[in-house]
Amino acid sequence: MQRFQFYNPRSVEDALNFLAEKGERSKIIAGGTDLIPGLRLEEIRPDFVLNIPEINPFRGIKEMDHSFWIGPTTTFTEMVESNLLSRSFPALVQSAASVGGPQIRNRGTIGGNIANASPAADVLPALLAHGGELELQSKRNGKRIIPLAEAILSPYKTCFRSDEILTGIILKKLELGTRSAFEKLGRRKAMARARMNLTLLLRLNHREEVSELRIVPGAVMPVAKRMDRTERMLLGKKPEPLLIEAASKTLAEEMVEVTGARWSTEYKIPVLKNIFKRMMKQLLIV
Amino acid sequence: MSKEPGKTLLKMKVNGKAVEVMVNPTWTLLRVLREELRLTGTKKGCEQGDCGVCTVIMDGRTVNACLVLALQTESKEIETIEGLGTADQLHPLQKSFIKHGAVQCGFCTPGMLLSAKALLEKNADPTLEEIKRGISGNLCRCTGFVKIIKAIQNVHR
Ligand SMILES: Cc1cc2nc3c(=O)[nH]c(=O)nc-3n(C[C@H](O)[C@H](O)[C@H](O)COP(=O)(O)OP(=O)(O)OC[C@H]3O[C@@H](n4cnc5c(N)ncnc54)[C@H](O)[C@@H]3O)c2cc1C
Ligand code: FES
Ligand code: FES
């Protein structure tokens, strides 16, 4: 590893002051599960490393009137153990539970998963399906709030400025009756990274028609996004088996449009279609 | 932070004892345990979080010591395999591993034992699925896991 200086800030203000001065030459470290391998390979060569897990206001999960706030250094284990999250966002908790093995879940954080912006991330696409928003803070500009969907610019690149810290993740409460599911596909090997995943959110109205649908496949696109063409196909309609079958084809087409034709020749298309149909069926039984 | 570019004093607790050691900011917890504190029961393998042979318990939770910077462990309590049992007073898990033939080359064993310990502390009677999940961050190239799982299941029998 190239030499760097390590700074352990005592407060949010201390951390923001540090970045205001040295942000361009610094890297934030939370759980370090992405950063430390990068430092070891010297893919990243910061002069300073700013340690944020000890900053208490960055931890925990809070319920507000219309939303939830998740601290950026909340670990996957803490997300999985949170009754509050499990009750309100089961699919998000399933995505956190799918990460790595226990040692990685004990260290890896929700903020690190977003800020690293890996195309293979699991929790990032689930958050996207939930319409997550990010709270960013800097000394110069104070707080700003942006939708997660606008924060990831390209693989491993976010719109965060070098003096900014991701200080919170905001999730609006889902409307009553919203059902959700997350699944990671392919080989059932705990440590296998870059396995395709799928998050679905579904709500029906009193006529049993789809009134809300969000579909986000993960670990397949350079930058995860909602499959709005497929979503629109089902909106306002009764989710009959034939329509779901047709929607699964549209979903596959939409994926190929984003990822390029080569993707379709792989095993992934039939897998994605089947998992989509199965998850829809499961959500409709509930 | 020390102004000099050199080493920084790290204070933590290892296996119940207060430890003070001068460390370089680039060192991992694994390096400090093995090379500064000479606690070589914690093994060095892939150094990228995949194999789990470097597993230790930090403030009650398992971590890969190769993926924690030493200075991130300031004021923390670390538990290594050296703290689990002694040669004449083995931990029940260690006895069970021996009884069930769960140790072959032994390279994965320290990390495996600590993952098993952390699992049993949270869940005294885990199901087969829960055991598999609990040790899914620890690879064993010799035993094929069956004997390890038996040893964990039968630790109190
Ligand atoms: C063996 C192994 C298995 C893994 N398995 C999975 C998996 O199954 N699924 C998955 O999604 N990921 C997986 N990962 C990747 C990794 O664990 C996750 O991406 C994790 O969320 C990273 O969080 P961290 O706290 O460790 O981030 P760090 O490594 O500390 O930081 C990652 C990046 O984010 C930046 N950053 C962190 N926090 C902030 C903040 N608050 N504000 C601004 N920038 C910030 C850092 O500067 C750095 O660039 C795996 C990693 C390993 C080593
Ligand atoms: S050496 Fe740490 S996980 Fe392999
Ligand atoms: S006993 Fe040899 S790796 Fe597990």
Side-chain angles (χ1 to χ4, degrees), chain A residues 138-209:
Chain A
S138 66
K139 185 182 181 189
R140 192 165 48 121
N141 294 316
K143 242 181 225 181
R144 62 173 176 140
I145 294 186
I146 56 166
L148 171 61
E150 289 167 19
I152 314 296
L153 304 176
S154 58
Y156 304 103
K157 197 158 169 27
T158 64
C159 69
F160 305 173
R161 290 189 291 256
S162 66
D163 62 343
E164 272 180 329
I165 304 181
L166 169 60
T167 53
I169 293 99
I170 299 159
L171 288 176
K172 291 212 175 67
K173 285 186 183 168
L174 299 174
E175 271 189 54
L176 222 61
T178 306
R179 307 156 186 189
S180 70
F182 170 92
E183 266 195 57
K184 201 152 154 177
L185 333 178
R187 286 170 304 151
R188 250 186 85 80
K189 219 176 123 225
M191 304 304 280
R193 275 172 261 183
R195 283 162 53 195
M196 191 186 346
N197 63 59
L198 186 61
T199 310
L200 295 184
L201 256 72
L202 172 73
R203 198 173 66 252
L204 303 177
N205 62 19
H206 61 281
R207 290 187 300 272
E208 300 284 297
E209 297 156 351

Side-chain angles (χ1 to χ4, degrees), chain A residues 1-8 18 29-33 36-37 39-40 48-49 51 53-54 77-78 81 97-98 100-107 188 190-191 193, chain B residues 1-7 24-26 28 47-50 52 55 58 61-64 66-69 71-72 74 76 115 122 129 133-139:
Chain A
M1 270 186 227
Q2 183 182 269
R3 294 196 72 86
F4 54 78
Q5 285 184 51
F6 183 90
Y7 188 62
N8 216 349
F18 186 88
I29 190 166
T33 58
I36 293 173
L39 290 171
R40 194 172 274 126
F48 303 95
V49 169
N51 190 46
E54 308 304 320
T77 299
E78 288 162 351
E81 288 176 354
S98 85
Q103 296 94 323
I104 297 295
R105 289 195 296 279
N106 287 341
R107 277 309 272 173
R188 250 186 85 80
M191 304 304 280
R193 275 172 261 183
Chain B
M1 186 180 64
S2 75
K3 290 253 156 46
E4 51 190 305
K7 293 183 181 174
N24 189 308
T26 60
T28 60
E47 287 196 274
Q48 45 185 1
D50 287 318
T55 302
M58 181 161 93
R61 301 209 195 262
T62 54
V63 300
N64 295 310
C66 69
L67 289 187
V68 180
L69 289 180
L71 288 174
Q72 291 189 289
E74 177 69 35
K76 304 226 178 271
S115 285
K122 263 202 265 169
E129 235 359 87
R133 244 179 101 68
I135 58 170
S136 62
N138 295 79
L139 295 184

